[in-house]
Amino acid sequence: MDKMTDKERQDTKMAMLYELRLIFANGEKKEYTTEEIVELLDKIAMAKEQ
């Protein structure tokens, strides 16, 4: 099994953060509850598995 390099891990983390930023910036809401944020994270994780 190939292991990720530190650079690849950092790139992946930054890509995920940017994806979240786009979701929040393009959403209609200005404030989100913790539950809504967790739900969005779950949706992203499930989409990445498919």
Side-chain angles (χ1 to χ4, degrees):
M1 176 191 285
D2 293 329
K3 293 185 180 183
M4 291 178 74
T5 66
D6 287 339
K7 171 85 168 101
E8 289 170 325
R9 278 191 291 278
Q10 182 67 18
D11 289 348
T12 300
K13 181 173 80 171
M14 295 309 292
M16 175 66 80
L17 290 172
Y18 187 68
E19 189 172 345
L20 287 170
R21 182 196 178 286
L22 290 176
I23 289 169
F24 292 123
N26 292 323
E28 294 178 14
K29 296 180 75 168
K30 295 296 177 196
E31 294 183 15
Y32 291 84
T33 66
T34 301
E35 290 81 16
E36 290 170 324
I37 293 170
V38 170
E39 183 178 319
L40 286 170
L41 291 170
D42 290 344
K43 287 180 182 178
I44 292 169
M46 287 186 285
K48 297 243 183 246
E49 287 180 1
Q50 296 178 2

